[in-house]
């Protein structure tokens, strides 16, 4: 019965395998999600989603696969599910008032309650508004939207109004995990983890458990061994565009910078404006008085560094192609010359662009820099950063 659900996941680009689907079925067979919609949702998600970037896709597929369940007849539900009467009684005691329980008992017990519910569902043939009985809107019924009930099930309502619903069938929470969205610091760290080269250096401060066991067994007494902590040995040189058209992207660039400083022990960074020229700087407040010659940077950091430029590449084409084209000073050599020198010094290079990729063809300078970098330009999204890190470790 869950094959259409599996097919819907695949159609929505959720990379679920047959093995993961069988794991989900094993969980259902073991009774991990019996009579519990929330447990069913989390079991399906835990079994068939192995990458957090696909959580939102899974939510959309889940809603699509199980849309229209209200069309199932009452007789079908009773035939398919054997709900214990004592379970329903306990739930009624938990959620119903004394008056409501007395009213149910007056109907004649469980069988009468089921008969009444079935009759109500059969009688309601169209949309209902403003009442306390039907599934509808703007009333006090416990089922529906845009009304009020102390404990109801919200169906088909855009947003919460009273914060009293005990269940919201169509609620979806977005957590910035889709691989097409702009990044936060946490997601950037996840993407940067692909750029790793583990090495052990520095002081011997970490317990070497395997070495301790081996040495103790060999010598017959406790022989504690220690070793240097394992660290990411990748060296990264970061060039950050600041000012002008980069102002709308300040927040996401700050998050990228914060994540990079946490992830990479060997990180060096410099600022530039629009395009790389003969000078860069570390402190934007002293950019005119304490610049570092770009030649010094080229001669200081070896070719083993991974060089990453971060900028929207949006400027006048003259700033890239012509001497004197810079908008704030006279540049003796064109920006393209300096970019080419950087590419030659650091063969592992990349340009990360916070501008949405669909807008790149409309800006001439973006296409020019993209051509200089031989298409090594990626958008500042989770998918883009991930793709860029793969490119750097080739």
């Amino acid at each position: 019965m869950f094959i259409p659900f599996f097919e819907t996941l695949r159609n929505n680009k959720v990379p679920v395998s047959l093995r993961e689907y069988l794991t989900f079925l094993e969980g259902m067979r073991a009774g991990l999600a019996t009579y519990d919609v929330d447990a069913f949702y989390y079991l399906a998600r835990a079994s068939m989603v192995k990458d957090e970037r696909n959580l939102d896709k899974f939510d959309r597929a889940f809603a699509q696969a199980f849309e229209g369940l209200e069309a199932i007849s009452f007789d079908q539900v009773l035939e398919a599910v054997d709900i214990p009467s004592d379970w329903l009684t306990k739930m009624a005691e938990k959620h119903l008032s004394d008056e409501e329980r007395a009213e149910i008992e007056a109907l004649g017990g469980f069988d009468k309650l089921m008969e009444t519910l079935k009759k109500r569902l059969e009688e309601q043939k169209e949309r209902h508004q403003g009442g306390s009985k039907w599934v509808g809107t703007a009333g006090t019924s416990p089922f529906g939207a845009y009304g009020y009930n102390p404990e109801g099930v919200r169906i088909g309502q855009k947003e919460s109004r009273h914060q009293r619903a005990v269940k919201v069938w169509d609620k979806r929470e977005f957590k910035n995990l889709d691989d097409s969205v702009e990044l936060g610091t946490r997601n950037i760290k996840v993407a940067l983890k692909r750029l790793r080269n583990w090495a052990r250096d520095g002081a011997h401060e970490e317990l070497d458990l395997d070495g301790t066991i081996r040495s103790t067994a060999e010598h017959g007494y406790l022989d504690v061994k220690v070793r240097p902590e394992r660290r990411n040995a990748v060296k990264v040189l970061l060039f950050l565009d600041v000012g002008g058209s980069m102002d709308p992207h300040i927040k996401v660039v700050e998050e990228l910078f914060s994540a990079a400083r946490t992830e990479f022990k060997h990180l060096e960074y410099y600022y530039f404006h629009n395009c790389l020229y003969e000078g860069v700087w570390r402190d934007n407040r002293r950019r005119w008085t304490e610049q570092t010659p770009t030649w010094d940077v080229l001669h200081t950091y070896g070719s083993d560094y991974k060089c990453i430029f971060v900028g929207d590449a949006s400027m006048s084409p003259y700033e890239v192609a012509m001497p004197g084209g810079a908008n704030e000073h006279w540049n003796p050599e064109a920006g393209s010359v300096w970019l080419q020198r950087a590419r030659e010094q650091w063969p592992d290079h990349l340009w990360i662009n916070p501008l949405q990729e669909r807008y790149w063809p409309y800006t001439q300078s973006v296409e020019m820099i993209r051509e200089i970098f031989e298409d090594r330009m990626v958008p500042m999204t989770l998918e883009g950063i991930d793709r860029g890190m793969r490119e750097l470790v080739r």
Side-chain angles (χ1 to χ4, degrees):
M1 64 181 293
F2 294 115
I3 290 179
F5 178 36
F6 176 72
E7 294 175 344
T8 302
L9 291 173
R10 299 295 293 269
N11 292 337
N12 281 270
K13 310 300 183 183
V14 179
V16 55
S17 67
L18 184 59
R19 175 67 263 175
E20 292 162 352
Y21 174 65
L22 292 176
T23 299
F24 162 70
L25 293 182
E26 290 174 4
M28 292 297 298
R29 188 177 299 112
L32 300 181
T34 304
Y35 310 136
D36 190 334
V37 175
D38 289 336
F40 172 76
Y41 166 81
Y42 287 114
L43 172 63
R45 195 177 77 172
S47 302
M48 295 187 282
V49 180
K50 302 303 181 184
D51 191 323
E52 61 184 6
R53 291 174 296 181
N54 296 313
L55 289 178
D56 187 57
K57 297 176 184 176
F58 174 85
D59 284 350
R60 292 196 295 265
F62 188 90
Q64 180 180 341
F66 298 106
E67 181 181 9
L69 287 182
E70 67 276 5
I72 298 177
S73 70
F74 193 77
D75 288 333
Q76 288 176 299
V77 174
L78 291 181
E79 291 175 3
V81 181
D82 182 17
I83 303 178
S85 58
D86 60 338
W87 183 82
L88 286 174
T89 301
K90 292 180 180 179
M91 290 300 294
E93 292 175 353
K94 179 179 179 181
H95 292 286
L96 300 180
S97 66
D98 294 337
E99 292 78 7
E100 290 170 327
R101 289 201 300 270
E103 183 178 351
I104 291 175
E105 292 174 358
L107 289 174
F110 178 78
D111 293 336
K112 186 64 177 179
L113 176 63
M114 293 296 100
E115 182 182 343
T116 303
L117 177 58
K118 178 181 177 181
K119 183 178 180 181
R120 181 174 300 181
L121 291 173
E122 291 175 347
E123 289 174 353
Q124 182 174 345
K125 302 298 183 181
E126 58 187 15
R127 181 183 181 275
H128 176 72
Q129 178 172 336
S132 60
K133 178 180 179 182
W134 302 122
V135 177
T137 61
T140 58
S141 168
F143 310 101
Y146 302 106
Y148 178 83
N149 188 282
E151 290 185 339
V153 177
R154 195 170 81 226
I155 304 173
Q157 182 172 313
K158 181 179 179 181
E159 59 185 10
S160 176
R161 298 169 67 244
H162 301 293
Q163 306 294 331
R164 300 301 296 271
V166 295
K167 179 68 66 178
V168 183
W169 281 102
D170 47 8
K171 179 179 179 181
R172 292 172 55 229
E173 295 181 355
F174 298 91
K175 298 182 180 179
N176 212 31
L177 299 177
D178 196 344
D179 61 10
S180 62
V181 300
E182 288 190 351
L183 299 168
T185 303
R186 174 179 174 274
N187 291 342
I188 294 174
K189 290 180 181 179
V190 172
L192 293 180
K193 289 183 184 298
R194 291 197 177 276
L195 190 59
R196 282 181 168 180
N197 181 17
W198 294 112
R200 297 188 181 277
D201 55 8
H204 289 60
E205 298 177 344
E206 181 182 272
L207 173 65
D208 183 359
L209 183 59
D210 292 338
T212 299
I213 295 173
R214 187 182 306 109
S215 181
T216 299
E218 290 175 354
H219 297 109
Y221 57 86
L222 181 61
D223 187 11
V224 178
K225 297 294 183 180
V226 293
R227 61 188 177 184
E229 183 181 354
R230 192 176 71 156
R231 301 178 183 274
N232 189 359
V234 169
K235 300 177 181 179
V236 176
L237 181 60
L238 199 60
F239 290 96
L240 302 163
D241 185 7
V242 293
S245 59
M246 283 296 294
D247 286 346
H249 309 295
I250 288 176
K251 184 177 184 297
V252 69
V253 174
E254 284 180 341
E255 292 171 342
L256 172 65
F257 182 58
S258 174
R261 296 197 69 171
T262 302
E263 187 64 29
F264 303 114
K265 178 183 177 182
H266 305 287
L267 174 68
E268 302 292 340
Y269 66 93
Y270 292 92
Y271 296 107
F272 69 97
H273 180 57
N274 283 353
C275 194
L276 184 66
Y277 297 114
E278 66 278 1
V280 291
W281 56 94
R282 286 186 181 272
D283 189 340
N284 284 297
R285 294 169 298 181
R286 301 178 180 179
R287 57 174 297 196
W288 299 114
T289 58
E290 297 184 6
Q291 284 196 8
T292 301
T294 306
W295 273 120
D296 290 354
V297 179
L298 291 167
H299 293 152
T300 299
Y301 304 104
S303 58
D304 57 335
Y305 273 80
K306 311 288 186 182
C307 181
I308 302 176
F309 285 81
V310 180
D312 63 357
S314 300
M315 66 199 84
S316 167
Y318 296 105
E319 296 185 60
V320 181
M322 301 295 294
N327 67 348
E328 293 183 333
H329 74 290
W330 175 267
N331 54 301
E333 295 179 290
S336 59
V337 174
W338 288 105
L339 291 176
Q340 188 60 42
R341 287 170 179 162
R343 290 188 63 248
E344 293 172 355
Q345 172 61 19
W346 302 293
D348 296 328
H349 53 265
L350 179 73
W351 189 292
I352 300 176
N353 196 330
L355 187 66
Q356 294 186 36
E357 191 170 6
R358 67 175 182 269
Y359 297 132
W360 292 0
Y362 302 106
T363 304
Q364 186 176 356
S365 60
V366 174
E367 293 301 300
M368 293 171 67
I369 292 180
R370 192 176 179 183
E371 182 178 352
I372 293 172
F373 274 71
E374 297 180 347
D375 210 29
R376 286 192 172 191
M377 179 182 288
V378 297
M380 192 176 287
T381 62
L382 186 58
E383 183 277 332
I385 299 292
D386 184 76
R387 178 165 24 114
M389 297 305 103
R390 291 176 184 272
E391 184 72 26
L392 288 177
V393 297
R394 282 186 178 180

